[in-house]
Amino acid sequence: MAGHSDSSSSEKKSSEAMNDVPTFSTENMQNNMKVIYYSRTFMSIIGGVIAGILGFTGFMGFIFYFLVMAITSIGLIAKAKFTVHLYFDSWNRIILDGFMGGLMSFVLFWTYPFFLAVLHGHTIALAVEP
């Protein structure tokens, strides 16, 4: 009987160890990653348009991008109610994923409104001058 009780205690230990390992649904994880990419892309586009309209150039525009991405990360963490490990396997997923992909969208939408603002400003100046 002592041997049987030893095996049951080892079974309890192994089942407790299995309960300690977090399990994730891959479908839910992929859906959460899509939400992160869509949010970052959307905020990159909006941030790029705002940076272009405000006329940020050079280093100031990139600082604005990092600020927008920091606000986006804080917003995503707040949306997860600050319990990131329930929805993602690491903090890096919510803080860094989609960061560089968003940069390309930001630059595209940063330069286009800036170009339109400069072009529009010159056409107004040309129309006013005789």
Side-chain angles (χ1 to χ4, degrees), residues 2-125:
H4 182 65
S5 66
D6 288 338
S7 67
S8 67
S9 67
S10 67
E11 288 175 8
K12 287 181 182 177
K13 288 180 183 177
S14 67
S15 68
E16 289 174 4
M18 287 180 59
N19 289 338
D20 290 342
V21 176
T23 57
F24 293 103
S25 167
T26 56
E27 186 177 329
N28 291 343
M29 183 73 77
Q30 288 175 348
N31 186 37
N32 294 341
M33 293 307 299
K34 283 182 192 176
V35 168
I36 285 179
Y37 284 122
Y38 293 153
S39 299
R40 287 205 185 275
T41 302
F42 178 74
M43 290 304 292
S44 295
I45 291 169
I46 297 300
V49 169
I50 292 171
I53 290 171
L54 293 177
F56 292 148
T57 58
F59 195 62
M60 191 65 168
F62 288 107
I63 290 174
F64 185 73
Y65 173 73
F66 291 122
L67 179 67
V68 167
M69 287 298 106
I71 292 169
T72 303
S73 294
I74 291 169
L76 290 168
I77 291 170
K79 178 74 174 165
K81 297 178 184 162
F82 300 98
T83 55
V84 175
H85 291 290
L86 289 178
Y87 303 99
F88 303 98
D89 56 353
S90 71
W91 281 92
N92 289 339
R93 296 271 187 204
I94 201 165
I95 294 175
L96 298 176
D97 275 4
F99 198 78
M100 294 308 287
L103 182 62
M104 300 304 163
S105 298
F106 176 82
V107 170
L108 175 67
F109 284 92
W110 172 25
T111 55
Y112 186 67
F114 181 74
F115 173 72
L116 288 179
V118 169
L119 182 65
H120 184 66
H122 287 296
T123 55
I124 290 174

